[in-house]
Amino acid sequence: MQIETIKAYHVVQPFVDGPYRMSKGRVAGAFDAVIVAITSDSGLTGWGEMAPLGNFYSPAFAAGVRAGVIEIAPHLLGHDPRALASIGRLMDTVFKGHPYIKSALDMGCSDLAARAADIPLVTLLGGRESETAELYKVVTHGTVDAMAALAKRIVKDGFHRLQVKVGGNVHDDIERVTAVADSVPKGTVIFCDANAGWTPYQARQFTDATRAIDYTFEQPCTTIDECMSVRRSLDKPMVLDESVASLDDMLDIHRKGAADGLTLKISRLGGVTKTRQIRDLAVDLGFMITVEDTGGAEIDTSAMAHLSLSTPEERRLHAIAFHEWVTVRTASNKPPVSGSRMGIPDGPGLGIDVVPDLLGAPFFEVGS
């Protein structure tokens, strides 16, 4: 089996609920996605997707993905897409760094490898641990009243897990989180996510003032050492996200005891294959795990779901349904969501039946 053609599409995916807001004025109105179709000489096609959340969330930007895919894709022609480790090494050899550019290509090869075996991708990733994963919803940054009202509405809709965006003015965020916690039933799971927006000084101010609230603290500061300095005086669990960009980062966090859980972003790590590698070792080391990504629609959400459901349930935190965030469709089906839980589509590979006509014309095509 060999890769015969690769096509790449540019699809802008506006948000259903309008602009997505984080602290410090960071805002995005859409996912700016690249979708790749990798077709083998057997006639099978695998699909991959990568979409950054603006230019501020991760060290990735949409124009960089489009330019990088054009550089890497020709080197993959003639190679076996099922040899995922070999494909990864080849991409790292011909294009130094920039893992986010390689993510959609690795995802497409992973989908194609599972389709060739006529099995769902979850089976290749270690096997299905449960039928569905619990979803969380994001309480985006805003006024105290707006955030409390949004949290109340999310819980009314049947969700029990909230990620509350903080990382702005400390005293204002203390007021925001207090209002959110007061507006939802006791037992609602709350994560306070600063997205690396604070100094250790600011993070300690926040944690000291919110000791009476039950929450998990997510990525308060930029570096692992800064987060570790906050953790020393913290009486709550800590999860790191932006700090996990490689296997070395994960091992460094483990050595230092800097976190209880990790959020693994597929594109930040370079694709499904490397995410699975880091996920498996992190599970064995005792971390709680969330597998998600920076954005996308049905294809990327399905990849997140397959990785989530192949994570042991006792080590899994939660998941997110990005395809419900956007106004556009890229496929005739989608990861099934029932209430506050998400499963995976039926069928081999990712299980997603992409409709090429929904993607527009490819901006790049290589191969016969």
Side-chain angles (χ1 to χ4, degrees):
M1 188 183 209
Q2 296 181 342
I3 295 173
E4 194 167 74
T5 64
I6 299 177
K7 297 179 182 179
Y9 302 83
H10 178 209
V11 183
V12 177
Q13 303 164 349
F15 296 140
V16 170
D17 295 327
Y20 180 90
R21 301 184 186 279
M22 292 167 52
S23 62
K24 301 183 178 178
R26 295 174 287 179
V27 59
F31 290 137
D32 194 345
V34 166
I35 292 174
V36 299
I38 302 176
T39 302
S40 73
D41 55 2
S42 69
L44 292 173
T45 297
W47 294 89
E49 180 177 23
M50 190 275 160
L53 179 59
N55 294 328
F56 52 80
Y57 182 69
S58 277
F61 70 109
V65 183
R66 297 194 292 273
V69 165
I70 292 172
E71 295 291 328
I72 297 172
H75 295 278
L76 305 185
L77 297 178
H79 289 270
D80 188 340
R82 299 168 298 183
L84 295 167
S86 177
I87 290 287
R89 288 192 296 270
L90 174 61
M91 289 195 288
D92 288 343
T93 297
V94 301
F95 202 93
K96 188 78 169 178
H98 303 277
Y100 67 98
I101 293 173
K102 303 162 187 173
S103 182
L105 292 165
D106 173 82
M107 189 182 296
C109 287
S110 298
D111 183 29
L112 186 49
R115 288 177 188 269
D118 197 29
I119 57 174
L121 181 58
V122 70
T123 303
L124 282 187
L125 297 176
R128 191 167 186 161
E129 295 280 346
S130 65
E131 290 300 308
T132 58
E134 187 77 16
L135 293 170
Y136 74 89
K137 288 279 191 173
V138 179
V139 179
T140 55
H141 213 249
T143 66
V144 172
D145 290 343
M147 290 179 71
L150 177 55
K152 191 178 296 185
R153 187 164 68 249
I154 291 170
V155 172
K156 185 179 179 181
D157 289 341
F159 291 85
H160 314 289
R161 304 181 74 88
L162 305 177
Q163 184 192 73
V164 182
K165 291 299 182 183
V166 293
N169 178 281
V170 175
H171 299 291
D172 291 344
D173 279 345
I174 292 167
E175 190 177 354
R176 291 181 177 105
V177 169
T178 301
V180 166
D182 288 343
S183 71
V184 298
K186 187 176 181 180
T188 302
V189 176
I190 297 174
F191 279 58
C192 291
D193 186 7
N195 290 112
W198 280 329
T199 65
Y201 179 88
Q202 292 169 317
R204 279 191 282 271
Q205 283 183 305
F206 177 83
T207 59
D208 186 59
T210 56
R211 289 186 185 277
I213 302 172
D214 183 13
Y215 66 87
T216 295
F217 205 13
E218 185 165 359
Q219 195 72 43
C221 309
T222 301
T223 69
I224 294 170
D225 286 340
E226 287 174 333
C227 291
M228 184 62 205
S229 74
V230 175
R231 180 166 162 80
R232 290 191 184 100
S233 59
L234 186 65
D235 61 349
K236 304 180 186 301
M238 182 177 284
V239 168
L240 294 185
D241 178 349
E242 285 87 345
S243 287
V244 192
S246 67
L247 176 61
D248 285 344
D249 289 337
M250 187 276 288
L251 292 173
D252 191 31
I253 292 167
H254 172 66
R255 281 192 297 267
K256 293 174 177 175
D260 304 288
L262 306 173
T263 299
L264 305 180
K265 296 284 201 298
I266 297 172
S267 60
R268 185 182 291 142
L269 298 172
V272 171
T273 304
K274 289 185 177 179
T275 302
R276 186 261 173 100
Q277 176 194 44
I278 294 171
R279 187 274 311 269
D280 286 350
L281 183 53
V283 165
D284 287 344
L285 292 174
F287 287 109
M288 299 297 292
I289 299 294
T290 298
V291 181
E292 55 184 41
D293 209 347
T294 54
E298 291 92 346
I299 300 167
D300 192 61
T301 302
S302 184
M304 294 189 289
H306 282 267
L307 279 160
S308 292
L309 292 181
S310 56
T311 302
E313 194 165 17
E314 66 273 15
R315 290 294 178 188
R316 184 195 313 145
L317 285 169
H318 42 215
I320 193 164
F322 276 150
H323 66 292
E324 295 190 331
W325 287 31
V326 298
T327 61
V328 301
R329 300 273 70 88
T330 61
S332 61
N333 65 337
K334 57 191 176 183
V337 173
S338 178
S340 63
R341 300 190 71 86
M342 179 170 67
I344 55 177
D346 293 331
L350 289 171
I352 293 295
D353 301 320
V354 178
V355 180
D357 287 348
L358 296 176
L359 309 181
F363 68 83
F364 172 75
E365 182 174 355
V366 65
S368 58

